[in-house]
Amino acid sequence: MSVFTEQQKLTILEDLVAINSVNENEIEVAEYLKKLFAEYGIDSTIVPVTETRVNLVAEIGSGSPVFGISGHMDVVSPGDVSNWSTDPFVLTEKDGKLYGRGANDMKSGLAALAIAMIERFCPLHGNDW
């Protein structure tokens, strides 16, 4: 069952790309995903490593087997932004391709993982682990 429209899925990616999570600064991404999961009844916990470097653990169901997925929330510095033809923290479509910091690695992956978890296991939509 689809929970999100294609535009809503794209908006999630757009929101993630807009977060400047250059190395050691993942907290805003974790907070965004935590809020997204909470909207769909999925519990998650932010686990601090430093003040701005964190992990996010989202859990659905209990028991065995345990299925784990993993992805990183930081991006490499865009370097000299004047070398970019677009703002690196604005998701931009050109010729059918999406550009922006993390659009390929790993914010698109995080968006896909979050969307898949919600659409397959969202307790608020009658889905069950």
Side-chain angles (χ1 to χ4, degrees):
M1 173 169 108
S2 183
V3 174
F4 299 105
T5 65
E6 291 303 311
Q7 182 55 53
Q8 289 170 317
K9 292 174 185 178
L10 191 58
T11 297
I12 292 169
L13 176 57
E14 185 176 46
D15 291 347
L16 289 172
V17 168
I19 299 170
N20 184 342
S21 61
V22 171
N23 300 27
E24 306 283 325
N25 193 34
E26 299 96 341
I27 194 162
E28 287 182 58
V29 174
E31 289 170 345
Y32 176 90
L33 292 172
K34 181 175 179 53
K35 181 180 175 197
L36 179 66
F37 286 140
E39 289 174 19
Y40 295 92
I42 297 172
D43 292 326
S44 61
T45 304
I46 293 176
V47 181
V49 176
T50 68
E51 262 187 51
T52 58
R53 180 154 238 193
V54 301
N55 293 308
L56 179 69
V57 177
E59 297 182 80
I60 304 169
S62 61
S64 180
V66 173
F67 175 69
I69 54 176
S70 177
H72 62 88
M73 296 180 282
D74 62 332
V75 294
V76 175
S77 169
D80 184 354
V81 177
S82 69
N83 291 327
W84 284 69
S85 60
T86 61
D87 184 330
F89 296 103
V90 174
L91 188 65
T92 306
E93 188 270 329
K94 285 185 185 178
D95 301 321
K97 296 178 181 170
L98 296 173
Y99 295 87
R101 209 79 200 110
N104 182 45
D105 176 29
M106 164 95 218
K107 291 186 176 176
S108 57
L110 291 173
L113 291 169
I115 290 164
M117 284 178 68
I118 292 165
E119 289 199 335
R120 175 56 183 94
F121 302 112
C122 173
L124 298 180
H125 285 52
N127 297 337
D128 192 12
W129 179 254

